[in-house]
Structures are given as C-alpha cells and as structure tokens.
C-alpha cells in the first residue's frame, strides 16, 4: 500500500493497443518490465495518459489484472469516474487485484472551494479503505484547487496520502504545502509531480518527493530525482537539461501521447504506437523532429557520462 | 425501432433510488406504468436527468432490462460515454434488451465544427445498426452545434433519425432545419424537444414533432403536442400557460431534478424522491412553493375544462 | 446614493441605437421617461443588457450624462471592466455625473473563493467612495460565488450595499443570506433580483427587496413587488402568471435583448429596436410569437382588473 | 505598414509601471531601445503580456504615442476589445500615431466556425485600412480556430496579413497553412510565433517567418530565427537549447510575466519589475531559481561562442 512516505518515480503507464485498436495485453507485460528496468519505483495505470476514458469497464479490469500480475512494484490505479458508483466498482476491482492505491481527479464542473471539498469527502467514503491520491491537474480538469482546499482535504480524509501535483504554475503550491506541514499545521503527504516532468528539478527543490509522469525516458526522472535527493542540483540539472527539448515536445497536450507511444514503440516497450480513436498517429514531420532531438539527447548524455 | 417519423411525447424517465441510494427497481415498474398512463408515446432512459452518470455499468444494465421488460413503448437509451468502447458496450446491451434506439450527446471538450462532425462519424460507427438520436444541449455539454453541422451529420449518417433539441435559444434552429428539409436539401428527421418543455408551444409551431423531456406532468406535453398537431394553438397555449409556473420552476438546472422527483413521489410514480449523491433533497421552502403552484395549476386546469 | 435599504424596481435600461448603430441619445430621454412612468424606483445603465461592452469609453460617458441629466431617480452604473484602471475611470465619471452607485460583475476567469474575495477587495479600493452593487450572474460570467464568499465580501467591504442576484438556481442563496443577517451574523444588504424576472415572486418570498431587470413591461415588476411587499402573494402570482409567457420568452440568452428592444420600440420607449453588432433583429416568426403572447397577456390582465 | 512579407522578431513589449502601479513612461523609452539593441525587427505593444486589459483608454493612448515616438521600427498594436466601438477607437488612435498595424484576438465566447468567421468579418470592417494580425491563442482565449477557418478569413479579408501563431500544439497548423499557400490555394501570409518561444525551432522548420513573443532575451529569438533562415538547424538548436530552461520557466501562465519583468529590470530594460494588480512580484524561491538558470545559460552560451 502506498502511504505518505512514498517517493521516487511512479511512471504513468500508457495502455498498449493493437493496430486495430484492441487491447494489447502482451505489450502490457513488456511495458511493465521496461518501466521497472528504467528505474520506476511504482506504476500508475488508467490515468488520463493511459487513455482510461476510452476503455470499457471490462477492459479496465483486464488491464488492472495484467499489470498487478506482472509486477511487485506498487501500482496506483486511476479510478476517476463521472459518478461514485462506477468509482466504487473500479476501486474495489483494483484493490482486490492487488493495487497499492487509487487516484482521483476532480469531476469536471466543480467550481467553488466548498464543492471541491464536498466532492473529496464523497470520494473518501467511496474508496473506503484504499489509500488514495488527489490528482490536481487544472489544465485538464478545469478545476482549480487552492492550497487551503488541499490542506482541508488532507485534514479531513486520512486516506488521502499523496498529491499528484500538476498545477501549472504550481511551484508556489508545493512550497506552501511543505510550509504548512513543516510548521506542524498539516499532515505531511507525499507529493509526486506530473506535468510531463517539465519542472521536475524545481519541484524537487521545493520539496516534492518524486515524479509521477510518463515521459518516455523514465531514467530521466529516476536520475533527476535521485540527484536532487542527494543534494546535487547541478548534476540533476545537467541530466534534466539534456532531456529537456524532448520533455518539452512530449508535453504538448493531446499530441504528446502520440509522441510518447511512438518512442516507447521504438524503444521496444510496446509493440505498436497506436492511440485509440479519436487519437492519431505521429505525422512524418513530427517523427523527424523527434529523431533529431533523440540524436542530440544521446550525444549530450554521452558527453555528461 | 425509432425512425425519422417518430412523434409525440418521449418522456425522459428518472432513475428511482431507495433512501439509501440503492437502485429502486420496484419503482421502475410503477414509474413506467405512470408515464404510459399519462400519455407517453415512448420513454427515454439513462439521460442526464436519469442520473446516468451516477450508475455503475451493472446498474445501467439492470435499469435497461427492467424498463424494456415492463413496457411495449419504444425505449430510447442514453449511451453517452467518455469513450467509444463504453458507448459500444452500453449500446449493444440496450439493443439486445429490446431498446428502440440510443441517444448520444457530444463529448465535453469538442470545439470546432470539424471536431463535432468527426465525433459523430465515430458515434455512427460505434452504435452500428442502432438508430440514434443526436442530443443537442449546449447548456449542459458546453458544445455548440451549428445548424450546418447537424445537417452534415444527418447527410453523412443514415442512422441518425432524431434530434433531441435543447439548444437555448433554439427556435431559429428548428426553423432552419425544417427549411432545409422542406427545400429538399436535407433528409427530414424527427425533432423532439427538451429544455424542460419551457418552449414547447413555439417549438411545435416551428416544426418540431413532439417533446422529449421529463416534466413531472407528462399530460401537459401530451395535450400541448396533440393540440398543436391539431392546429389549435389557442387551446395548446391555454394548457401550456396553466402549467408554465411549474415548468419554469422545474427548469432550474440541478435543482430541477429534486423538484421533479418530489412531485413524482407525491403523485405515486416512484416510492422515494431520492436523488443520488451528490444531489440533495428539496428544502421546505421549495416544497411550499411547489405546493402553492400545484394548487393554482389545478384550479386553472379545472377552469379550462 | 443607494444604500442597504434600497428596494423596489431598478430597471435595467437598454442602450438605444439608430438603425446604423450610432447612439440614439434622443431615445435615451424617452426611454428614461417611459421607465419612470412604468413605476421604476431607479435605473441601472450600462449593464450587460445595456450592451455596455459594445460602447467606446466616450459613448459610455455620453450615456451616463444623458441619463443622469434626465431623471432624479437614482441611477446605478455598470462599471465592470477587464481591468481596474478602466473601472476606476468609469466609476469616477459616473459618480461625478450624479450616479447613485456603481455595479460590478466578477471578471471572467476567477475560479477559487480566494480569487473572488481578492477581486472584490480590489474593486472596493478602485471605486473608492461610491456605494456599489455586487452582480452575481454565473450564467453570463461563468464565476460561481458561494454564499459564504458574498458574506465575506459584505463583511470586508462597507461600500458593498446591494446584491444584484441572478444566480440560477438562486432561491436558496437568498434564504441563506437573509438567515445570516437575521441571525445577526452579517450586515443586511439590499437584494434586487435579475434573471429577467423569471423567479420574481419566489425571490420576494425568500426575502429579496425588489427587482433589477429589464423586462419590457416594468409595470409587472412594480406590481409584483408591491403586492409581495403588501403580503398578498395571490395577487402577486396572478399578475406574474399573466406576464410569464413573455417573461420566459424574453429570458432567452442573447436573443432576449432583441425581443426586449422590439417591444420597447413598439411601446414607444425607444425609436428603433436596433441591437448593435454582433446582434441582430427579430425574425418574422419570433415577432409573430411575441404578438400572440402580448395579445393573450392583455386579455388576461384585463380579466384580472 | 506590415504586410504578408513580414519576418524576423517582433518583440512583445511589456508595459512598464512604477512601484505604485502608475505608468512608467520613462521606462518605455529604455525598453524600446533595449529591444532594438537586442535585434528586434519590430515591436508589438498592448498585447496580453503587455497588460493591455489593465490600462485605461487614456493610458493605452499614452503608451502608443510614447512607443511610436521613440522608434522607427514597425509597431503592431493590440486592439482586442470586448466590443467593436472600443476596437475602432483604439485602432484609429494607433494608426494615427504611426503604428504599422493592429492585432486582434477573438472575443471570448466564440464557439462555432461560423461565429469566428463572422467575428473577423466585423473586425475587418472595424479596423478599416489598417493591416492586421489574427492572434490565435486558444489557451488564453478559449477559442479554437481550425486551419480552414483561418484560410477562410485570409480569403475574405485582404487586410489580414499576419498570423500570430500560438496554438498549442500548433506545429501541424503551420504545416497545413503553408501547404495551402504552396499549392496556390491560399494567399501566403506572414506567420510569427508566440507561445513564449517554446517551439521556435520547430515552428521555423515548419515554415514560420519568425517570432512574436516577449522572452526576456530577445537575442535568442534573433539568433534562432536567423540561423533557421540560413538553413543551419544545428546552430539554431544549440542556441535554443541553451536558453530553453529559462524559456520554459517564463512560459508559466500568469507567473511568466513576473519572471519576465524581473529579468528585464535586472537587465536594465525597465526600472521596476512591477506587475499591475492583480499581479504580483516574484517570490524569493523563484528569484533564486531564475538566477541559477541564468548562470547556467551564460556558461552554456560562452561554451558555444
């Protein structure tokens, strides 16, 4: 089970598909192995970049079972749903299959502080005993969660053990949350950062515990997190900067997933780069840009070694 | 099966719950009987006001089976889903259970004309042989569908046989769609109107074929539609105006469902007025307002008789 | 100057234009006289329905001066602006010209409770000594202001003397605000209601002090408000119900202003029904619907008399 | 006057303020000189990052006059306004003062393709003889403009000579626009790219003519654009990558302007880093992060030289 001490790199796993759009469960295995070899501390499945919304209930269950059967790493399962009944069913499936926790983004349409707090009170009741991750991703959800609201949820809901941080800009929020727990005014929870890793060095510097994102080179996250934990910001920045052109390119909303799956397929992690409809492949021009950046990235990493 | 000639009143059915939030399948039966007695031509289940988003996949299936087993009226099933895999599964369940068609609102986040058209091309492929209803409800979906886009979808997708019209303001759209089919430029599809019935007289006057909404007095829709079909606008307006204070009150977003279930429970259609969380009951002040309006409505209908 | 005791009917004034879109200052005079004759207690100019956003700064100033020169009724001026500098300039112009107060809707894009509170702190500093009205209109602004936030603003900002209430549904908010001031927990401010008057009877019943909206028959508001103040809800509802079909028709977003100006021109209040681009005239079908409703309305009012 | 052949670097100029929020016209002069020395081909003032919305009409005019008096570089003036009357007044002021063109982002709330096209038809009529720039920035405006709509506007409006491109992801849009003009199906207009410069190399590779953004080191844009125009992508990427950590940091919505003004003040371009309320200064932690990045950037540039 995940708890407030979780740290390191929880890779946001993609969901592999066959060229015709069917689930590719064989690639689930190779992908899980790939992430583990690249230094993942844990996995997060059925997140937004895992195309969770495009799966049927039966497919979601199949993915959960395949992943948890393949690895001993802690697995967090995204269970965001339009309603609490579906969330409860999926959460139960996940925990019964051996997941280490669940993750929930706020429902679209929440506006006021009070609505957000009420929502997570309902979430806490719905997922019952499962430890859970609050996903704070305003660019995708259009729900802005102020620091005070996070602190209130943390105070009210003991099951909330982690923040998936991807507010943007969000560095000040990390500082504020850490100031609150450092002052003894709040329980300290784990903060793992998303946003494609685009601010990972600064996030670690502000007090984050690691990364939870799906950049196609998880070793970047592993190395940046470990260097920052070791207090060597210069080394962390050297590595980070080498990958930054590609991190930036993969951070494009929507298109980023096509980039990511293209690279994961090239690296052998999955068999096909297929994004389920309505998605799309990577145009030739984009493939060429990616190839250029990878070549430069490798040269720069070699120079660092 | 529904087709382009459908007309009359397709009542948007609520989903009955027990006080603890569990499905109340017994009330499904009484509700179906009630709607039939009030003059429904058909039923639409699992729409937004049917709290579809709050049901698990298993609960949705249970509701579909219970309703189709209870009635010979044509049943349209809302199958809007975040992704096409879930839509396909729910659509298949519905049609196998004897539904007469399915209904799909656009996914949130669609912006451009082209995105909306592509979406419904995918819908058409997903629901396969099922005749389907395009639900046009910008206030709820935040997706605005211009008349030309509807016409394009109608042209491209033979399975699209009906528009659930609830754009607001939307009278000009009905006129434009009818002008296009009258001129032979477009296939004429059925147009049934939602928006709580708030513009039903004018909608019929512009060329709609009936109503598809869930006002707690379906007999209003039955009588207004039949009077307008008979060409007696004065009689239609007399009836409509008698109900209008309550129609207006029930049209309040969100709160309206509590009003509706409160009245349906009072009328014996369902056992409990429960709205599933995050919903809520009807405050005493609102109950009193509703009681006043019902008393006035009955007096006025009596005076008309 | 307006203060917390303001009550009655503050008519939302339209801005009259010539057929070519130029300001029609002559019609400003006739319109002001018309509103006064129909029983307006005050006027609100340069609101959303006053097409404020379509005026240049010089035009706004001309309208303010013309209105305040024509009447001794208290005039509230909408000064909502994208930034505080423009708000300050317009507010100063208004108060120098003899306005009784200013009105400010929240800037689009405000999300959290704290952002809204901060915004109105800045408003209070910006409008300085002018008494001001908080306009709460989520359908138009996309900003949802919870009751607690309103109470906080009222507590922090002595200059906030009135709420223009047009949340929807919003009856519970009126009840909550009145409960707070009745209990001595909050300063009691004036609440005048908008939303095209669609819920005016219930709003008065919940504790509102009157109406602030621009329905083309201000006498409806005058009579409903006075009857409710006199405790005669039945008489108030009789009058309200007579006008309701047209109130409902005029409440259509966007289109409603064309309806309103069409009727005001017919009634002689303004010379031309012109809505500035991007607006539009009223289609023939809509004009016919309006004519039918007016005829029925007159018959029904005659029967009441 | 700008025309379809414009290329190079149009720096998005900030608006300098005194610590108390008053306009700092003296800094306007130093800033204009600074941009020219850094290689700007032109200037764009009163854009979103120029805090245009926070200025009164009089202040906007003062800024326009001061800038155009100071430089012979072509000056594009942002004239986006809630209504066309204000747009017309500001556009006239700008052109009379010697501006080279105006820039207009779509009004918030535009949804359908047809609404956007109608809007720009009105824009074209409003700005009359001024050559104008279509600003395509969905992240800020929430209006998504498909490629076909841009092509339609270009076809209908001869005054539209430039696209300020900041869709995200937007590389495919540049490719599509260039494919259309290369095929002779569309007039070729200038494309200058915003988005803080985050994709400048790729944008140039896809056919853009330069940059229009306000990164605090305009020399980056100058050098990347000139290297790409010279066909030396490797040199362009070397320079770009050196600045990328800071480009990324400055691209944070909202906060980015504080970063930019902080650096511009440090570089002596403006006297004070003040952002007008509701803005804010740069926290100490952020200042430290910026300092670290600048030191690394200088080292890396030195190594390139």
């Amino acid at each position: 089970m995940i708890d407030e001490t979780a740290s390191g790199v929880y890779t946001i796993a993609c969901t592999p598909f066959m060229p015709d759009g069917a689930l590719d469960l064989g690639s689930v295995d190779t992908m899980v192995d790939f992430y583990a070899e690249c230094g993942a501390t844990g996995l997060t499945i059925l997140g937004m970049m895992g195309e969770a919304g495009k799966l049927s209930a039966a497919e979601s269950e199949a993915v959960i079972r395949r992943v948890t059967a393949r690895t001993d790493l802690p697995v967090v399962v995204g269970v965001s749903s339009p309603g609490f009944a579906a969330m409860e069913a999926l959460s139960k499936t996940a925990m019964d299959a051996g997941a280490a926790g669940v993750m929930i983004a706020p429902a679209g349409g929440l506006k006021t502080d009070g609505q957000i707090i009420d929502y997570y009170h309902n979430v806490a009741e719905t997922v019952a005993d499962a430890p859970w991750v609050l996903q704070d991703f305003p660019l995708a959800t259009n729900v802005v969660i102020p620091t005070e609201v996070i602190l209130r949820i943390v105070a009210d809901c003991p099951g909330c053990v982690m923040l998936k941080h991807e507010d943007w800009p969000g560095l000040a929020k990390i500082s504020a949350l850490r100031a609150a727990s450092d002052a003894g005014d709040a329980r300290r929870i784990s903060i793992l950062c998303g946003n494609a890793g685009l601010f990972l060095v600064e996030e670690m510097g502000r007090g984050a515990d690691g990364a939870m994102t799906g950049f196609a080179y998880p070793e970047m996250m592993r190395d940046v997190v470990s260097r920052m934990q070791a207090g060597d910001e210069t080394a962390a920045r050297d590595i980070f900067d080498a990958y930054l052109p590609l991190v930036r390119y993969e951070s494009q909303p929507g298109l980023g997933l096509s980039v990511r799956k293209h690279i994961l397929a090239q690296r052998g992690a999955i068999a096909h780069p297929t994004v389920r409809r309505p998605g799309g492949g990577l145009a030739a021009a984009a493939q060429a840009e990616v190839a250029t950046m990878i070549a430069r990235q490798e040269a720069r990493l070699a120079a660092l070694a």
Side-chain angles (χ1 to χ4, degrees), chain A:
Chain A
M1 294 290 171
I2 57 169
D3 63 24
E4 290 89 343
T5 67
S7 70
V9 180
Y10 278 64
T11 304
I12 296 282
C14 72
T15 300
F17 296 107
M18 304 297 290
D20 67 358
L23 267 186
D24 176 6
L25 291 174
S27 282
V28 169
D29 292 344
T30 54
M31 176 189 71
V32 168
D33 297 349
F34 169 84
Y35 286 144
E37 283 157 23
C38 292
T41 313
L43 296 180
T44 301
I45 63 173
L46 302 186
M48 294 179 196
M49 292 302 261
E51 300 175 74
K54 298 179 185 169
L55 304 187
S56 69
E59 289 173 330
S60 295
E61 185 169 340
V63 169
I64 293 170
R65 293 194 188 287
R66 189 81 174 209
V67 170
T68 52
R70 185 72 178 188
T71 184
D72 292 330
L73 292 176
V75 176
V76 173
V77 179
V79 297
S80 302
S81 301
F84 296 117
M87 187 187 296
E88 184 174 11
L90 188 56
S91 180
K92 190 167 184 324
T93 298
M95 299 309 290
D96 287 351
V102 295
M103 181 167 75
I104 305 103
L110 297 176
K111 299 272 187 181
T112 70
D113 291 9
Q115 288 170 348
I116 299 169
I117 291 167
D118 287 349
Y119 185 80
Y120 278 103
H121 286 173
N122 273 319
V123 163
E125 195 180 315
T126 299
V127 304
D129 295 335
W132 55 277
V133 182
L134 192 171
Q135 183 177 16
D136 180 19
F137 192 8
L139 185 66
T141 62
N142 205 24
V143 177
V144 176
I145 313 182
T147 301
E148 315 87 76
V149 168
I150 296 174
L151 290 173
R152 172 77 182 276
I153 293 167
V154 168
D156 291 351
C157 307
C160 177
V161 298
M162 186 187 289
L163 176 70
K164 179 169 193 223
H165 170 275
E166 34 197 342
D167 200 350
W168 176 54
L171 297 174
K173 190 180 272 186
I174 299 176
S175 294
L177 290 170
R178 287 316 187 210
S181 56
D182 289 351
D185 298 331
R187 179 163 55 96
R188 189 194 193 281
I189 62 170
S190 173
I191 300 180
L192 300 188
C193 297
N195 261 332
L198 201 55
F199 296 93
L200 186 53
V201 172
E202 291 84 7
E203 289 159 344
M204 293 300 296
R206 299 293 185 107
D209 298 303
M212 186 187 277
T213 189
F215 182 53
Y217 291 83
E219 49 269 55
M220 181 280 278
M221 280 103 79
R222 176 196 62 199
D223 293 345
V224 167
V225 168
S226 66
R227 297 298 190 285
M228 288 299 290
Q229 286 171 334
D232 189 351
E233 181 180 330
T234 298
R237 285 195 178 271
D238 287 344
I239 294 164
F240 179 79
D241 288 355
Y243 287 98
L244 181 54
L246 196 56
V247 169
R248 165 202 65 121
Y249 198 86
E250 211 186 277
S251 75
Q252 297 175 82
L255 185 65
L257 181 59
S258 297
V259 176
R260 182 173 294 174
K261 284 190 152 182
H262 170 79
I263 299 176
L264 289 173
Q266 279 195 332
R267 300 189 77 190
I270 56 178
H272 313 284
T274 314
V275 174
R276 229 182 212 189
R277 67 176 177 151
L282 204 60
Q287 293 193 21
E289 288 160 350
V290 168
T292 299
M293 280 182 275
I294 290 177
R296 289 175 60 88
Q297 173 178 296
E298 287 176 358
R300 199 149 158 206
L301 288 168
L304 282 180

